[in-house]
């Protein structure tokens, strides 16, 4: 049971309502926001966390270019895979286009974290070129897995944009072919693992890790979808416990634990206690990340976050609506029941207006501060891994705007 508190698992975070222009003009100046299509955009600037900055600063552009160069190598291997030798040119061209469109377009934080973890554990000067390549190859396996999840997720959510461009399935020539493309994206991950890690002593552990993470994430998605099936609004399922299970299994395992576990394996760590200590911290960090994501879905600028948020109209079980249900009076709960999960703009605005009236924004800011403090405490209390393994991830997400 997850208790409500103002600590890490504490209060759900707040929002300022998106609204019609005339409503926006009536907000206090400090809360004024502009409306963009069906969502409110935020003009907040990014704030960089100052945690263990010397050892955990973001990867420089040169590291990103090195990482992208490994993608090109792996993509060429997959397109010309001997296992499917003889594929016609138009099939290869589709594969090239599909991989380039879906895999490397995001922030790449998950994938690049593997090499960062390896450097934090071994020391940058002790990482060989071969180890760096393997770490980046593993990082791309995570990005391939992410691409597989996102292609499927966009279809299930009927999403419009992803990473600042139309969703893959919405491209005129793609449509339902995207379902098969998602299967190919997942299979590519295992081809990379076989091609580059079959001879390593941790190959079986890698296979188990990726299989288990996929299984966990799929069940998180299942809970997400069945908690709020299309066309049905059952707010009794929108509980803190259900929400925390969704975000833990759908996001935390693959976005945070998976990259660090990969870095630990490639660095030679085999101690089960070390993996458990990492998991304890990283699942909490992943929960915090997803709560931020819910906030940005409602109030982030789509030009910054790369997508148009649709959680309210999609009837998503998110921290905002869960907290609103806990804080609302009976009449306010009725507003949620009457408008949540509806596709029209007016209904979305009523829900966002209610979030503002319930003063959820200060609640989120307190949650974020408490989460940051709690995570730092856990990081420095453990003694099995260098703190930079965790702080370099925390720096990238603390007070993020996308």
């Amino acid at each position: 049971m997850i208790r409500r508190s103002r600590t890490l698992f504490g209060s759900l975070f707040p929002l300022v309502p998106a609204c019609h222009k005339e409503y926006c003009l009536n907000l206090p100046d400090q809360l004024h926001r502009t409306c963009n299509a069906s969502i409110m955009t935020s003009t907040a600037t990014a704030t960089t966390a100052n945690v263990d900055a010397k050892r955990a600063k973001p990867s420089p552009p040169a590291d990103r270019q090195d990482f992208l160069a490994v993608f090109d190598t792996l993509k060429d291997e997959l397109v010309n895979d001997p296992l499917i030798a003889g594929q016609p040119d138009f099939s290869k061209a589709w594969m090239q286009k599909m991989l380039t469109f879906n895999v490397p377009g995001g922030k790449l934080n998950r994938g690049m974290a593997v090499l960062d973890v390896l450097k934090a554990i071994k020391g940058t000067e002790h990482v060989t070129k071969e180890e760096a390549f393997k770490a980046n190859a593993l990082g791309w396996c995570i990005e391939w897995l992410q691409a597989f999840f996102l292609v499927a997720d966009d279809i299930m959510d009927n999403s419009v944009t992803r990473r600042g461009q139309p969703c893959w399935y919405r491209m005129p020539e793609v449509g339902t072919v995207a379902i098969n493309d998602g299967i190919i994206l997942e299979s590519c991950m295992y081809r990379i693992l076989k091609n580059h890690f079959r001879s390593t002593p941790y190959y079986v552990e890698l296979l188990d890790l990726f299989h288990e993470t996929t299984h966990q994430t799929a069940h998180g998605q299942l809970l997400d979808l069945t908690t709020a099936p299309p066309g049905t609004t059952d707010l009794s399922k929108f509980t803190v416990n259900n929400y925390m299970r969704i975000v833990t299994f759908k996001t935390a395992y693959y976005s945070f634990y998976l990259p660090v576990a990969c870095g630990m394996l490639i660095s030679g760590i085999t101690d089960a206690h070390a993996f458990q200590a990492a998991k304890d911290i990283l699942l909490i960090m992943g929960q915090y990340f997803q709560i931020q994501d819910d906030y940005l879905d409602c109030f982030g600028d789509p030009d910054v976050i790369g997508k148009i948020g649709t959680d309210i109209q999609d009837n998503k079980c998110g921290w905002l609506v869960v907290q609103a249900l806990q804080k609302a009076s009976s009449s306010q709960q009725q507003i949620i029941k009457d408008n949540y999960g509806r596709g029209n703009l007016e209904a979305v605005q009523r829900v966002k207006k209610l979030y503002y009236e319930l003063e959820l924004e200060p609640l989120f800011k307190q949650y974020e501060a408490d989460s940051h403090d709690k995570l730092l405490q856990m990081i420095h209390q453990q003694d099995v891994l260098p703190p930079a393994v965790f702080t370099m991830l925390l720096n990238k997400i603390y007070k993020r705007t996308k």
Side-chain angles (χ1 to χ4, degrees), residues 102-114:
N102 289 292
V103 180
K107 295 183 289 291
L108 307 180
N109 286 340
R110 295 171 183 83
M112 295 181 68
V114 180

Side-chain angles (χ1 to χ4, degrees), residues 228-287:
T232 302
T233 301
D234 182 1
L235 298 179
S236 68
K237 295 180 179 178
F238 287 19
T239 66
V240 172
N241 185 63
N242 284 344
Y243 175 79
M244 294 305 291
R245 288 191 62 83
I246 290 170
V247 301
T248 300
F249 284 93
K250 184 178 177 179
T251 299
Y253 275 105
Y254 95 90
S255 294
F256 288 85
Y257 179 65
L258 178 59
V260 173
C262 284
M264 293 169 66
L265 284 171
I266 203 172
S267 68
I269 293 177
T270 58
D271 180 18
H273 176 64
F275 284 92
Q276 187 60 53
K279 186 181 295 184
D280 291 342
I281 293 170
L282 294 162
L283 293 188
I284 292 174
M285 196 180 298
Q287 292 160 358

Side-chain angles (χ1 to χ4, degrees), residues 7-203:
T7 58
L8 187 62
F9 295 103
S11 8
L12 310 169
F13 59 127
L15 298 175
V16 178
C19 42
H20 297 302
K21 289 182 179 179
E22 59 269 23
Y23 179 80
C24 291
L25 293 173
N26 292 326
L27 288 176
D29 289 343
Q30 67 271 26
L31 296 176
H32 184 273
R33 300 289 189 271
T34 57
C35 298
N36 183 357
S38 66
I39 70 169
M40 188 180 88
T41 63
S42 170
T43 58
T45 56
T47 303
T48 303
N50 185 22
V51 184
D52 202 6
K54 184 176 180 180
R55 296 196 65 184
K57 57 188 177 182
S59 302
D63 287 353
R64 183 181 178 90
Q65 291 306 311
D66 290 343
F67 188 61
L68 289 169
V70 174
F71 168 75
D72 290 333
T73 298
L74 298 175
K75 180 183 68 173
D76 290 344
E77 290 176 359
L78 292 164
V79 171
N80 298 290
D81 192 340
L83 192 66
I84 52 173
Q87 285 286 84
D89 289 342
F90 67 83
S91 179
K92 288 185 177 182
W94 181 278
M95 180 88 161
Q96 285 266 11
K97 179 180 179 180
M98 184 269 290
L99 295 180
T100 301
F101 187 99
N102 289 292
V103 180
K107 295 183 289 291
L108 307 180
N109 286 340
R110 295 171 183 83
M112 295 181 68
V114 180
L115 180 56
D116 289 339
V117 170
L118 179 63
K119 289 178 177 179
I121 294 173
K122 296 190 65 173
T124 301
E125 67 277 10
H126 299 300
V127 175
T128 67
K129 288 184 178 181
E130 181 182 0
E131 288 173 332
F133 177 85
K134 285 185 176 296
N136 282 333
L138 273 183
W140 279 114
C141 286
I142 298 171
E143 294 295 335
W144 250 276
L145 182 62
Q146 159 88 339
F148 161 53
F149 290 150
L150 295 185
V151 167
D153 190 68
D154 286 341
I155 296 171
M156 287 181 274
D157 288 349
N158 196 32
S159 297
V160 177
T161 61
R162 169 73 67 180
R163 295 171 172 172
Q165 59 187 357
C167 297
W168 177 242
Y169 82 100
R170 285 188 176 269
M171 299 296 286
E173 70 277 19
V174 179
T176 56
V177 178
I179 298 172
N180 190 66
D181 289 337
I183 297 171
I184 290 175
L185 287 166
E186 184 191 21
S187 67
C188 286
M189 176 180 65
Y190 293 104
R191 295 301 294 165
I192 295 170
L193 289 174
K194 184 174 182 179
N195 290 340
H196 294 280
F197 297 93
R198 180 172 46 182
S199 61
T200 66
Y202 49 86
Y203 178 53

Side-chain angles (χ1 to χ4, degrees), residues 207-224:
L207 291 177
D208 282 346
L209 179 62
F210 276 91
H211 279 300
E212 288 181 359
T213 303
T214 303
H215 190 67
Q216 289 163 329
T217 307
H219 280 274
Q221 176 75 345
L222 173 65
L223 183 57
D224 189 22

Side-chain angles (χ1 to χ4, degrees), residues 381-394:
Q381 282 178 343
Q382 62 83 36
D383 59 1
V384 292
L385 291 167
V389 167
F390 307 104
T391 54
M392 60 95 180
L393 290 171
L394 185 57

